[in-house]
Amino acid sequence: MSDYVNGIFGLKGQVALVAGASSGIGSEFARALSRAGADVVLGARRTDRVEALSVEIANDTGGRTLAVELDVTSRESVEKAFAKAKEALGTPTIVCNNAGIARPNWALEDTEEDWDATMNTNLKGMWRVGQVAAKAMLENGKGGSIINTASILGLGVGPQQLTYATSKAGVVQMTRAMAIEWQRWSIRVNAICPGYFKTEINDTFLDSDLGQQMLKQSPAKRAGNLSELVPAMLMLASPASSFTTGVALPVDGAHSVRLA
Ligand code: NAI
């Protein structure tokens, strides 16, 4: 990489924490952040998975990695994870706020439990991680970049997505609110809005007839590859986006802008 490109996009000297790193997008983000030069903290409830991935990434890149237990629905767990990260690698300057769940259901069928579980993880969990991250960054005095994984379902809506889409729309608005308040401390907050990428959260749906039909009707006529999502995250994580904050960036092959 040329010095010019490395100066803009390189992450050497940065510490990145990924929430929800045990699968899918979070795992891919962790790999990419290490390849770009950051020390990486992999946070998840499934510690066996992040411990194995942490070793795999360190062997691959030669970078420093750490696996920590992290449940975004518990403030104690989030604070502990940030404390462990600080102790082992330093205060995170990049946080991929990525943990999420989906419970597709017809609006008339959603239960109180569906609503609470979805909001507690997708919206309140991201708020909690974002706030703990910002407090740590403020104390550290170096600023940072928080990247919330929202969704194109935070920008538009589809059937059976009432709770999920509502939570992700909340993430988009929360991102903007955080951005305007925390800019004064050089803490940038952006949302990435993926279209459809096949992971554990949606593989059954995408393999179904309905899922296949939905993809065929989308402008790109296919799901995205995770390698097509990662660069947008790296841009938001890196000095390349030093004046970019409060943005909700779709990475979706134009899925979210198509009207018919
Ligand atoms: P995934 O199911 O592989 O990953 C979600 C991760 O969040 C899992 O590792 C899961 O264990 C973790 N998680 C759930 N609850 C948690 C909790 N309480 N504490 C800590 N971690 C928790 O699916 P994927 O696709 O990688 O999802 C990552 C994010 O991307 C989610 O926020 C999802 O809503 C979002 N997203 C995914 C899209 C896709 O097409 N795959 C599209 C748009 C958004």
Side-chain angles (χ1 to χ4, degrees):
M1 215 186 323
S2 75
D3 287 350
Y4 172 69
V5 174
N6 210 17
I8 297 175
F9 290 104
L11 300 181
K12 202 129 205 82
Q14 305 233 35
V15 179
L17 182 144
V18 182
S22 56
S23 59
I25 292 171
S27 295
E28 209 54 29
F29 279 3
R31 282 193 189 91
L33 288 159
S34 181
R35 285 184 190 139
D39 296 338
V40 180
V41 184
L42 298 97
R45 292 166 305 175
R46 295 176 290 187
T47 46
D48 52 334
R49 286 214 198 181
V50 273
E51 272 159 16
L53 185 59
S54 168
V55 171
E56 181 199 311
I57 292 175
N59 287 340
D60 173 37
T61 65
R64 295 200 301 167
T65 58
L66 173 75
V68 294
E69 187 172 356
L70 173 66
D71 180 348
V72 302
T73 63
S74 153
R75 182 162 286 261
E76 192 192 351
S77 171
V78 174
E79 285 175 347
K80 262 193 198 159
F82 274 83
K84 279 189 190 157
K86 180 180 174 186
E87 193 187 318
L89 299 177
T91 298
T93 48
I94 297 165
V95 171
C96 288
N97 201 356
N98 171 77
I101 60 169
R103 292 191 176 191
N105 238 341
W106 294 111
L108 280 178
E109 311 292 333
D110 276 321
T111 63
E112 295 270 342
E113 213 270 324
D114 289 327
W115 174 273
D116 288 346
T118 308
M119 294 302 161
N120 274 341
T121 302
N122 294 9
L123 187 53
K124 195 171 182 188
M126 282 206 190
W127 163 75
R128 185 178 289 118
V129 171
Q131 192 190 57
V132 170
K135 284 183 181 176
M137 287 172 180
L138 179 57
E139 190 187 297
N140 193 34
K142 291 184 183 167
S145 172
I146 299 171
I147 301 146
N148 298 325
T149 309
S151 167
I152 56 169
L153 285 163
L155 307 171
V157 74
Q160 298 193 30
Q161 298 292 353
L162 186 150
T163 55
Y164 184 82
T166 304
S167 72
K168 294 298 188 178
V171 170
V172 169
Q173 195 70 332
M174 183 183 76
T175 299
R176 297 171 178 144
M178 288 175 168
I180 61 165
E181 290 203 19
W182 299 344
Q183 171 69 28
R184 76 193 71 158
W185 298 300
S186 300
I187 299 168
R188 297 182 297 103
V189 190
N190 292 290
I192 196 163
C193 298
Y196 284 84
F197 293 80
K198 194 169 159 182
T199 64
E200 287 175 20
I201 212 169
N202 58 16
D203 50 4
T204 311
F205 169 66
L206 289 183
D207 286 341
S208 71
D209 289 346
L210 202 64
Q212 287 294 311
Q213 196 187 333
M214 185 271 302
L215 286 178
K216 269 189 206 126
Q217 284 168 358
S218 70
K221 303 195 186 311
R222 65 173 175 88
N225 298 311
L226 289 178
S227 60
E228 297 172 299
L229 180 62
V230 159
M233 178 281 292
L234 288 177
M235 189 273 286
L236 294 174
S238 71
S241 60
S242 58
F243 203 54
T244 304
T245 187
V247 158
L249 177 66
V251 182
D252 67 344
H255 199 148
S256 60
V257 293
R258 176 159 175 173
L259 287 176

